[in-house]
Amino acid sequence: MKTSAVFLLALVASTMAVPHHSNMKALSQARIDVFCDICQVLIQDLDDFITDDTTEGDILGFLENICVPLGLIGLEDICRSFIEEYGPDIIDQLVNENLSPSLLCGPQGLGICDA
């Protein structure tokens, strides 16, 4: 999980480092790509965390811990709200439907990634 938090913060920082005079369409696409990458990394970490012995409460707690570093950029509450709303469905899709992170984050899943 520590690796995910560092990766997440590095990706967010990289999108903020884009010069202001850049093409807005390219900047928007870069941000979409970053959120897609973040989604896939976090879903993979979640998938790796889930075992036969973990309960839904354990898994939701793991997800909420991922939100803590986002407090540094003011997104912790949004992250927690997202987990409260979608966490059980994400868990179900990972466990019962064996969806990969790319499918779960893609258009047929959470819709964060374009393809």
Side-chain angles (χ1 to χ4, degrees):
M1 185 180 90
K2 195 177 238 185
T3 303
S4 292
V6 171
F7 180 73
L8 172 86
L9 292 174
L11 286 174
V12 171
S14 72
T15 62
M16 294 176 167
V18 176
H20 294 290
H21 65 325
S22 295
N23 181 329
M24 291 306 287
K25 185 175 181 180
L27 179 59
S28 294
Q29 185 59 47
R31 287 186 176 154
I32 290 169
D33 291 345
V34 166
F35 284 114
C36 177
D37 291 343
I38 291 168
C39 179
Q40 290 184 31
V41 167
L42 295 180
I43 295 297
Q44 184 60 57
D45 281 355
L46 176 62
D47 194 28
D48 294 342
F49 176 78
I50 296 172
T51 66
D52 289 339
D53 296 333
T54 52
T55 66
E56 185 172 296
D58 295 336
I59 298 165
L60 291 173
F62 173 84
L63 286 171
E64 287 179 0
N65 284 333
I66 290 172
C67 295
V68 173
L70 293 174
L72 296 172
I73 56 173
L75 297 176
E76 184 174 356
D77 290 339
I78 292 170
C79 179
R80 287 183 184 278
S81 294
F82 180 85
I83 289 169
E84 287 173 13
E85 186 170 344
Y86 297 106
D89 290 334
I90 292 170
I91 294 165
D92 181 60
Q93 290 180 10
L94 278 172
V95 173
N96 296 323
E97 297 179 33
N98 293 318
L99 290 185
S100 68
S102 61
L103 288 174
L104 191 54
C105 295
Q108 66 274 35
L110 296 170
I112 295 171
C113 302
D114 291 336

